[in-house]
Amino acid sequence: MLNYETIKKIMFNFEPETAHTIAECGLKALPYCRLLNNYMVKENFINHPMLKQEIFGTTFQNPIGLGAGFDKNATMIKAMPAMGFGYTEIGTMTPRPQPGNDKPRLFRYPEYNSIQNAMGFNNKGSYEVISNLKKLYPFALPIGASIGKNKNTPEDKALDDYETLIKGFKDICDYMVVNISSPNTPNLRDLQNEEFIKAVFGMAKEITDTPILLKIAPDMADETAIELCKTAVQSGADGIIATNTTQDYSLLPNPKDFGGLSGEVLSEKSYLLFKALGKELHDKTTLISVGGIGDAKDAYRRIKAGASLIQIYSAFIFQGPSMCKNINNELIELLKADGYNNISEAIGADFKN
Ligand SMILES: Cc1cc2nc3c(=O)[nH]c(=O)nc-3n(C[C@H](O)[C@H](O)[C@H](O)COP(=O)(O)O)c2cc1C
């Protein structure tokens, strides 16, 4: 069988979006190749008792999830156990279909294990994604639905978009994420303010008990992020996901001057903001850390800083289907070395005596 280094060499000859489309075709087909799929699940999916947790009323066999943006239309969720993921976050979906920003809008920086994207919520719209999901139900893994406003929805109507999306996804996923942190929808990040956060979570709690989280950007002061996240939790948010991509272009020598950076260059920035949030909130809500994670040591420091769960997007592109297995196996060793019986005991360990 071809190893991932060889597959990557071939795939990296294509434009990143073309490579993504090829990968999507392969991952859509994988579950129908029963023997190969079963072999890959057995090989890559770790379900060790030390990693198992009950969160959001459902079971997470391992803490490594696929970050939002890879499976925007929920077409690949059946293949994710074979990739080793313990859960997957689909989207970001908008109420109406939209094409996203002009191309090119996706760039690789392999020497930095990093990516820059300005996709702009290209997706088939909530109606089609919900019907995709219904066809795929029941799911093998917990599913989160990331939701965002359409580009052409004015800011003063943004709440209506989130209301439509929450009503649409509430019964077909394990949790939802209010995404107001993408840098690629004009003025979206302006919604990261107390008034909107109070309004959106207040509205959500009137509609459903399905857990709803807030995903934030890394490009703000720790104090600002802490205040916004506290407001979200007080208004009914069930957790925080930190962080989205960064607009700090100083992290890379020759970046584009648009879009958001992810992968290795984001790791330290994302970790530091996450740790500041963890200090304040690890015992008050569920925290998910994402941003530049590519190995078990980084995943473990996020867990000790308060993360119940981890998400990864960019490193999956560079490391492929063995990534989750490697991280999960090493996490077990790290937990054992520190004398823990289960991952839940290590969450927020940095802040306990
Ligand atoms: C091509 C691409 C598209 C993305 N699209 C979304 C999205 O639609 N919604 C979202 O919340 N985050 C999106 N993200 C951000 C990721 O979910 C994640 O927060 C970010 O990439 C940092 O994690 P990483 O360093 O592991 O990639 C996207 C990232 C990439 C690289």
Side-chain angles (χ1 to χ4, degrees):
M1 207 182 297
L2 283 179
N3 70 20
Y4 189 67
E5 281 309 308
T6 311
I7 295 172
K8 198 167 82 175
K9 261 196 196 129
I10 298 166
M11 293 289 263
F12 278 22
N13 285 319
F14 293 98
E15 287 290 313
E17 270 204 73
T18 311
H20 187 82
T21 308
I22 297 169
E24 183 177 12
C25 289
L27 289 170
K28 269 159 93 171
L30 181 61
Y32 298 99
C33 310
R34 293 277 289 271
L35 279 179
L36 178 61
N37 188 66
N38 292 349
Y39 167 79
M40 291 187 81
V41 173
K42 221 170 147 201
E43 182 69 17
N44 295 328
F45 188 78
I46 306 295
N47 60 352
H48 192 283
M50 287 180 76
L51 298 180
K52 188 171 166 176
Q53 298 179 86
E54 298 294 323
I55 303 172
F56 306 140
T58 188
T59 304
F60 289 73
Q61 297 290 353
N62 74 63
I64 313 296
L66 177 66
F70 185 87
D71 191 1
K72 291 199 185 258
N73 299 306
T75 55
M76 295 175 262
I77 58 178
K78 276 223 177 324
M80 288 310 149
M83 300 296 110
F85 286 106
Y87 68 107
T88 167
E89 195 166 295
I90 57 165
T92 295
M93 287 79 59
T94 53
R96 300 173 299 285
Q98 62 178 32
N101 294 326
D102 292 342
K103 295 178 185 174
R105 54 191 181 177
L106 184 56
F107 310 91
R108 304 182 192 100
Y109 300 90
E111 62 278 36
Y112 298 98
N113 293 318
S114 295
I115 290 176
Q116 186 160 10
N117 94 85
M119 303 302 287
F121 295 166
N122 53 309
N123 79 109
K124 295 195 166 157
S126 58
Y127 185 81
E128 185 166 334
V129 177
I130 290 164
S131 68
N132 281 348
L133 280 175
K134 284 183 178 157
K135 282 182 222 144
L136 297 170
Y137 195 83
F139 314 124
L141 300 177
I143 299 290
S146 173
I147 55 174
K149 77 169 200 68
N150 274 110
K151 183 177 180 178
N152 63 5
T153 300
E155 214 174 304
D156 61 345
K157 294 277 186 292
L159 199 61
D160 298 346
D161 274 9
Y162 288 95
E163 184 175 353
T164 304
L165 291 157
I166 289 165
K167 285 179 175 163
F169 283 98
K170 68 183 173 58
D171 297 323
I172 191 88
C173 62
D174 294 287
Y175 70 90
M176 289 176 275
V177 186
V178 171
N179 182 2
I180 47 177
S181 51
S182 166
N184 301 318
T185 297
N187 308 323
L188 185 76
R189 285 185 170 187
D190 294 349
L191 299 177
Q192 295 184 128
N193 68 67
E194 297 212 354
E195 195 188 338
F196 187 78
I197 287 172
K198 277 184 192 162
V200 78
F201 286 101
M203 172 264 291
K205 288 290 123 179
E206 295 288 312
I207 297 172
T208 182
D209 291 331
T210 302
I212 310 194
L213 289 76
L214 174 69
K215 182 168 179 180
I216 62 158
D219 303 316
M220 56 181 131
D222 292 357
E223 301 71 40
T224 312
I226 290 166
E227 283 316 306
L228 289 178
C229 292
K230 277 186 176 167
T231 302
V233 173
Q234 281 156 11
S235 309
D238 296 277
I240 304 293
I241 304 185
T243 67
N244 213 313
T245 57
T246 181
Q247 286 181 302
D248 179 353
Y249 304 131
S250 70
L251 295 173
L252 207 59
N254 290 306
K256 309 286 170 201
D257 59 359
F258 57 94
L261 293 173
S262 59
E264 214 165 272
V265 296
L266 172 60
S267 175
E268 203 57 23
K269 187 181 181 81
S270 178
Y271 167 68
L272 291 174
L273 182 64
F274 184 82
K275 190 166 181 181
L277 286 174
K279 191 167 181 216
E280 295 292 322
L281 290 170
H282 74 277
D283 52 356
K284 298 184 182 67
T285 193
T286 301
L287 300 176
I288 300 181
S289 189
V290 51
I293 301 168
D295 60 35
K297 281 188 192 63
D298 200 357
Y300 193 46
R301 70 173 177 162
R302 313 291 178 119
I303 291 163
K304 289 199 287 188
S308 297
L309 297 167
I310 299 295
Q311 290 181 353
I312 297 177
Y313 183 146
S314 302
F316 179 53
I317 306 301
F318 296 108
Q319 296 182 37
S322 60
M323 177 194 74
C324 292
K325 171 185 70 177
N326 294 340
I327 294 178
N328 280 317
N329 280 335
E330 207 179 319
L331 264 183
I332 293 167
E333 295 311 314
L334 290 166
L335 289 166
K336 279 184 189 162
D338 283 345
Y340 297 119
N341 295 310
N342 182 270
I343 180 175
S344 55
E345 296 164 20
I347 295 166
D350 284 351
F351 314 116
K352 295 169 191 160
N353 301 323

